[in-house]
Amino acid sequence: MAGTLNLPIPAVSSVRSFSSSNGAPTSSVKFLPHQCRASMQSFATETRSAAVASRRPASLYEVLQVSQNASPREIKSAYRSLAKIYHPDSAPHRSESEDDQDFIEIHNAYATLSDPSARAIYDLSLMAVRGRRPQMSLSAIQNSTSGFYTTRRWETDQCW
Amino acid sequence: MAEASYTVASDSETIGEDKSSAFPEIAIGIDIGTSQCSVAVWNGSEVELLKNTRNQKIMRSYVTFKDDTPSGGVSSQLSQEHDLLSGATIFNMKRLIGRVDTDPVVHSSKNLPFLVQTLDIGVRPFIAALVNNMWRSTTPEEVLAIFLVELRVMAEAQLKRPIRNVVLTVPVSFSRFQLTRIERACAMAGLHVLRLMPEPTAVALLYGQQQQQSSHDNMGSGSEKIALIFNMGAGYCDVAVTATAGGVSQIKALAGSTIGGEDLLQNMMHYLLPESQTLFKTHGIKEIKSMALLRVATEDAIHRLSSQISVQIDLDLGDGLKINKVINRDEFEEVNRKVFVKCESLIIQCLQDAKVEVEDVNDVIVVGGCSYIPKVKNLVASMFNGKELYNGVNPLEAAVRGAAVEGAVASGINDPFGNLDLLTIQATPLAIGIRADGNNFVPVIPRNTTMPARRDLVFTTCHDNQTEALIIVYEGEEKKAEENHLLGYFKVVGIPEAPKGVPEINVCMDIDAANVLRVLVGVVMPGSRQPTIPIMEVRMPTVDDGHGWCVEALNRKCGNTQDLVTVQKKV
C-alpha cells in the first residue's frame, strides 16, 4: 500500500474540470486530448497538486456532506443525491461554476462509510489524527490504535 | 465559441456529434440479439417499440446474401426456411464478433449452415455464405451493419427524422475489444454509439424507472430496492444486482457468460444426431441442407417443450438419414444440465460480488428468450426460495426498452413528470490488469468496480539494470495472463539503471463514465516525487484483428527480459 501513494495521478481534478466545462461527457471524444495534456502537466507540477490537496475536504463525512453520526440510511441517500449532481452522466444538467467535486472521491467515501467495519476503522483513524493535536484529549481508543494509522492524507483515504 | 476551430479527432476515437441543434436528438435504443433484434425510442412520454412493415416488433437477426444485394431479417419477407437450407443466410454473428479462431465459441459455431472456417492460429475466422454455388465471404461486423442499416431505415421512416445516435445493449461478458467491433459495425451503418449498455443494466434502468414511478404514485418513502436481473438469450447469459432508490440505480455486480439458447440447441442436435460433426464436415450443398433441417426441427422442438411435456421429432435428412424420436422435457433438461448449472453459478457469483443475501433481494427479474423455458424460471425462482418472479417487464422487450430510456437520458431530454430523472451508476464487468509476476494476470481495476473508476498499482523491475518494461494489458478473470482478453501492449523505455526492485513503475488505469479506458504508466525512482521519464498514456484497446498472434510473438521476441513484478505491500 505504501507504494501506491507515490503517484496519486492528480488527474483527479483535471479530468473533472474538463469534462464539466465541456458539458458533454457523453461524447467522449472532446476532452481526450485536453485530458492527456492536463494530467501530465499536473503530474509534473508539484505546486498544482499541492493546491488541489489543500482544497480537499477534511474527512469522508465532509465529502458526503453528512455529520459524523449519520445513520447508514442517511449516508446512502446523501450518496445518491450527490451522485445525481456529480456523476459525469448528470453533468449536462449542472452549471459549470460549481465546485469541482469528483464522483470517484464521493464513491470512495461512500464505499468506506457504507461498510460498517471499514467505517469503524476509519472513525478510529480520524480520532487518532485528532488525538495528536494538543487541544484534543487522548482517548483510550487512540492509544490502542497508535501506530496503525499515524497520518492521514487524502491518499490514504483513497486506498480503502 | 466565436472563432472556428479545427480539431482532429484522435485516431482511436469515434467521431462525436456536434450538439449544436436547438432540439436535442433523442438517441434510439437498439437491442441486437444473437437471434432477434428490436428498436425502441422515447416518444416524449413513454417508450415505444418500432414495428417493421410486417407489423413485427421483434425481428430475426440474420442476413441473406443473394446475388449482389444482401438483405436482413428486418425488411425482407423472405422464405427464411428456404434460404437457410441453401446456405445463403448468415446469423448468430453476435456470438462470433471480435473472436479469433482459437476461441471455443468459434469452434462450436462450425456446424452452422454456412461456412465458419478456422485455422487455429489466432486470426479471425473465415465466414462465408453460399450464393449461387459460390462462397461469398463476409465478416460479423458486416452482417451486423447490414441489419443495423435496415433498423435505421425503418426507424427513420417512422420517426421522420434522420437517426444518428444510438444506445446499444451488449452482453456482460463482451471484452472491450468486442465492444470496439460493435462500434465498428455501427460506424459502418452510419450510426454513432452514444452508449453501450450491458443488457441487464438496461433492464435495471427500466426497473429503476418503474420503481420511481410507483413511489411517486403512492407517495412512498422511496426506500432502496434491490433486484436481481437474470437475462438469458440465444447467445449469452447475464446477471446483474441493482440497488435503486429515487431514480438512482447502482449496479452492485455483474456476471456473464457465453451460454444461451444456442448451447441448448447445439446440445440437443448432438443428442439427436451424435455423429453430426463428422457427417457435415465437408460443408457441401447437401450437408448444409441437412444441417439446416436438423437445426430448424430441433429449435422448433425446444420451443414446443416450453409448453408441452414431450415432443415427437420426425425428420428426413436425406441420404437415408432419418430421425424419429420422442423427446420429453426431462431428457432436454438432462442433456443441458451443465448449461443450467452454469446459470446457477453465475447467480451465486453475482450475489456474492454484490455482498447481497438472497433474503435482501426485493425483486427477481427473469428476461430474455430463454426465460420462457420452464427449467430456467424454476431454477432462478428456487434459488430465491420459490419467490414469485417480477412480472412488470416484458421478457423480450425489457432490454431494448431500457436502452431507449438511456437514449433519452443520455441525450439530455427532460421529462416534465420526472420520468427521466434517472441515473445508472455502472460497474466494470471484468477485471482489467497487466501481466506481471511471471505469467500472471494482476488486476489493477477489479471487476465490479464502480465507474468512473481510477486505480493504480505499483510494479517494479525483475532484473538488475532493466531499462525497458513491457506493459501487456488484459481484461478478464483468469489467473494466467494469456487466458484473458488481450487489450493492448506498449513498452516503457528509459528506466534508469538500478538494481532490480528499485524503480517504481506506477500503472494507473482510468475508466470514465463513457467507459473509455486509459492506461497511464509513470516511473519514479525512490526519493523523488517526480517521474523520471515522461508519463505514457495509452487508450485501450489498441489491438486489432488477429491479435491472437501477438502475445506469442512478444514472448518470442522479448522473453522475460522486460517483465515486471508487483511491489509487495509493506505491512
Side-chain angles (χ1 to χ4, degrees):
Chain A
M1 186 181 283
T4 58
L5 307 180
N6 283 318
L7 288 182
I9 312 278
V12 182
S13 60
S14 48
V15 176
R16 258 228 74 73
S17 55
F18 274 106
S19 58
S20 58
S21 65
N22 256 314
T26 43
S27 58
S28 56
V29 197
K30 291 171 186 162
F31 60 88
L32 167 69
H34 306 291
Q35 198 220 320
C36 350
R37 240 177 285 134
S39 63
M40 284 179 199
Q41 272 169 13
S42 54
F43 216 129
T45 350
E46 275 287 286
T47 49
R48 205 188 141 176
S49 57
V52 170
S54 69
R55 279 207 312 271
R56 278 178 192 286
S59 79
L60 298 184
Y61 293 99
E62 244 171 74
V63 173
L64 288 185
Q65 301 169 18
V66 292
S67 70
Q68 266 208 52
N69 45 19
S71 69
R73 206 195 154 100
E74 282 169 342
I75 288 174
K76 227 171 227 178
S77 71
Y79 169 66
R80 284 182 201 280
S81 45
L82 288 175
K84 272 203 167 173
I85 304 169
Y86 292 107
H87 191 282
D89 280 359
S90 316
H93 311 296
R94 182 163 59 97
S95 67
E96 289 174 26
S97 56
E98 277 176 84
D99 56 325
D100 57 325
Q101 219 180 331
D102 186 43
F103 176 72
I104 294 182
E105 220 177 297
I106 293 168
H107 181 80
N108 286 345
Y110 171 69
T112 304
L113 298 185
S114 62
D115 178 344
S117 56
R119 184 179 175 182
I121 296 176
Y122 175 71
D123 285 348
L124 288 180
S125 77
L126 269 189
M127 274 187 229
V129 170
R130 278 180 199 158
R132 282 192 289 105
R133 292 179 193 156
Q135 70 266 32
M136 297 291 249
S137 64
L138 289 171
S139 67
I141 309 155
Q142 190 261 319
N143 289 333
S144 66
T145 57
S146 59
F148 193 69
Y149 281 101
T150 46
T151 57
R152 201 187 66 81
R153 291 184 292 163
W154 76 271
E155 291 99 322
T156 38
D157 295 343
Q158 303 279 310
C159 287
W160 286 105
Chain B
M1 278 202 253
E3 61 198 68
S5 59
Y6 296 92
T7 51
V8 177
S10 166
D11 183 36
S12 50
E13 301 277 354
T14 46
I15 312 298
E17 267 296 72
D18 191 24
K19 288 209 178 84
S20 52
S21 60
F23 297 101
E25 177 201 326
I26 302 183
I28 60 170
I30 300 181
D31 176 16
I32 34 164
T34 308
S35 82
Q36 294 180 319
C37 56
S38 49
V39 182
V41 67
W42 180 260
N43 68 6
S45 56
E46 59 178 5
V47 172
E48 190 186 343
L49 258 76
L50 301 183
K51 292 176 183 169
N52 67 4
T53 48
R54 280 168 290 151
N55 215 22
Q56 291 173 312
K57 288 195 283 188
I58 313 277
M59 291 143 278
R60 305 272 303 194
S61 307
Y62 63 81
V63 168
T64 298
F65 290 89
K66 267 186 201 156
D67 304 320
D68 282 335
T69 48
S71 63
V74 178
S75 63
S76 63
Q77 165 86 57
L78 48 76
S79 49
Q80 197 221 344
E81 201 101 322
H82 173 262
D83 287 314
L84 198 67
L85 299 187
S86 72
T89 299
I90 305 267
F91 53 92
N92 267 13
M93 283 303 108
K94 200 171 157 192
R95 286 266 275 205
L96 293 177
I97 195 164
R99 291 186 197 274
V100 291
D101 64 358
T102 46
D103 194 317
V105 176
V106 173
H107 280 258
S108 74
S109 301
K110 281 166 127 178
N111 62 355
L112 294 172
F114 50 87
L115 193 61
V116 178
Q117 207 176 62
T118 61
L119 297 171
D120 300 326
I121 53 169
V123 292
R124 56 170 30 196
F126 180 80
I127 297 163
L130 192 57
V131 189
N132 299 335
N133 209 18
M134 242 170 65
W135 287 113
R136 183 211 186 276
S137 81
T138 185
T139 60
E141 291 84 346
E142 184 184 48
V143 172
L144 290 186
I146 289 168
F147 58 75
L148 279 170
V149 162
E150 293 196 344
L151 291 172
R152 179 186 176 189
V153 168
M154 179 187 113
E156 287 182 342
Q158 285 178 48
L159 301 175
K160 298 186 177 59
R161 63 175 171 94
I163 302 284
R164 173 127 175 92
N165 292 340
V166 292
V167 171
L168 253 75
T169 58
V170 290
V172 167
S173 57
F174 259 24
S175 74
R176 285 173 179 270
F177 176 69
Q178 286 178 297
L179 297 183
T180 66
R181 301 329 289 170
I182 293 282
E183 277 171 351
R184 171 91 189 116
C186 287
M188 285 164 83
L191 297 169
H192 171 237
V193 176
L194 211 51
R195 207 53 64 90
L196 292 175
M197 277 190 113
E199 273 150 34
T201 70
V203 181
L205 178 62
L206 190 67
Y207 173 77
Q209 189 189 42
Q210 290 176 348
Q211 295 310 307
Q212 199 196 14
Q213 282 166 350
S214 66
S215 72
H216 276 175
D217 291 346
N218 52 31
M219 302 298 280
S221 56
S223 64
E224 185 178 72
K225 279 198 149 186
I226 294 178
L228 179 125
I229 295 148
F230 179 88
N231 173 32
M232 190 171 177
Y236 296 88
C237 178
D238 301 320
V239 189
V241 172
T242 175
T244 184
V248 179
S249 304
Q250 192 196 352
I251 306 301
K252 289 187 156 256
L254 290 167
S257 175
T258 314
I259 51 162
E262 178 64 26
D263 297 275
L264 304 176
L265 181 55
Q266 300 260 359
N267 291 342
M268 282 310 280
M269 279 166 30
H270 184 75
Y271 179 69
L272 289 170
L273 190 65
E275 63 274 28
S276 60
Q277 286 285 15
T278 43
L279 276 178
F280 301 149
K281 215 175 163 184
T282 50
H283 273 81
I285 294 178
K286 261 196 315 202
E287 285 82 8
I288 286 198
K289 189 177 173 189
S290 308
M291 278 155 79
L293 280 172
L294 177 62
R295 193 179 175 85
V296 171
T298 315
E299 199 172 349
D300 178 58
I302 293 175
H303 287 165
R304 282 190 288 151
L305 277 175
S306 290
S307 51
Q308 294 165 225
I309 295 297
S310 69
V311 288
Q312 168 78 34
I313 297 173
D314 295 302
L315 197 55
D316 184 357
L317 297 176
D319 277 346
L321 200 58
K322 284 184 182 164
I323 297 172
N324 301 95
K325 232 175 188 160
V326 176
I327 300 277
N328 59 43
R329 205 183 270 175
D330 293 340
E331 257 173 302
F332 167 72
E333 289 171 8
E334 183 52 34
V335 167
N336 290 301
R337 205 169 49 84
K338 276 188 183 160
V339 175
F340 297 127
V341 168
K342 179 71 189 168
C343 293
E344 282 178 358
S345 72
L346 284 175
I347 296 176
I348 292 168
Q349 181 202 321
C350 200
L351 285 171
Q352 275 175 356
D353 285 357
K355 299 193 186 84
V356 165
E357 301 293 327
V358 165
E359 304 79 54
D360 301 335
V361 176
N362 299 94
D363 285 303
V364 180
I365 305 170
V366 181
V367 293
C370 288
S371 65
Y372 290 102
I373 298 171
K375 173 73 183 170
V376 171
K377 270 192 275 194
N378 292 343
L379 88 86
V380 180
S382 69
M383 293 184 75
F384 293 89
N385 310 322
K387 191 178 173 68
E388 204 175 311
L389 302 177
Y390 185 75
N391 59 8
V393 294
N394 177 321
L396 294 182
E397 297 174 0
V400 73
R401 283 180 182 274
V405 173
E406 175 71 13
V409 173
S411 305
I413 309 296
N414 281 314
D415 181 69
F417 304 104
N419 285 333
L420 291 178
D421 196 8
L422 302 167
L423 174 67
T424 312
I425 303 172
Q426 295 277 5
T428 56
L430 296 168
I432 304 163
I434 66 166
R435 196 189 83 157
D437 300 340
N439 202 22
N440 288 330
F441 171 65
V442 178
V444 175
I445 298 184
R447 74 159 181 253
N448 295 321
T449 301
T450 296
M451 291 197 282
R454 191 184 313 115
R455 296 285 173 94
D456 56 1
L457 212 57
V458 176
F459 297 85
T460 189
T461 52
C462 66
H463 302 284
D464 290 338
N465 298 329
Q466 181 181 338
T467 57
E468 299 187 340
L470 189 60
I471 311 285
I472 312 181
V473 181
Y474 286 96
E475 181 182 42
E477 296 301 325
E478 303 299 327
K479 264 208 147 68
K480 275 193 178 166
E482 71 264 11
E483 286 169 14
N484 296 289
H485 304 285
L486 177 70
L487 295 184
Y489 39 83
F490 57 96
K491 204 157 83 170
V492 178
V493 295
I495 303 169
E497 291 193 359
K500 65 180 174 189
V502 171
E504 286 181 1
I505 297 159
N506 187 303
V507 177
C508 174
M509 298 200 178
D510 180 293
I511 303 174
D512 65 19
N515 199 16
V516 175
L517 168 69
R518 291 188 184 80
V519 180
L520 297 103
V521 177
V523 179
V524 176
M525 297 307 280
S528 162
R529 291 270 302 164
Q530 302 285 331
T532 44
I533 51 170
I535 291 153
M536 300 195 70
E537 188 197 274
V538 183
R539 194 189 132 120
M540 295 275 164
T542 57
V543 289
D544 219 321
D545 286 330
H547 54 275
W549 290 90
C550 298
V551 174
E552 218 175 290
L554 283 171
N555 283 340
R556 208 176 324 133
K557 184 83 187 162
C558 313
N560 67 351
T561 55
Q562 301 174 5
D563 276 12
L564 290 175
V565 289
T566 43
V567 170
Q568 294 301 313
K569 287 179 183 175
K570 291 169 195 136
V571 185

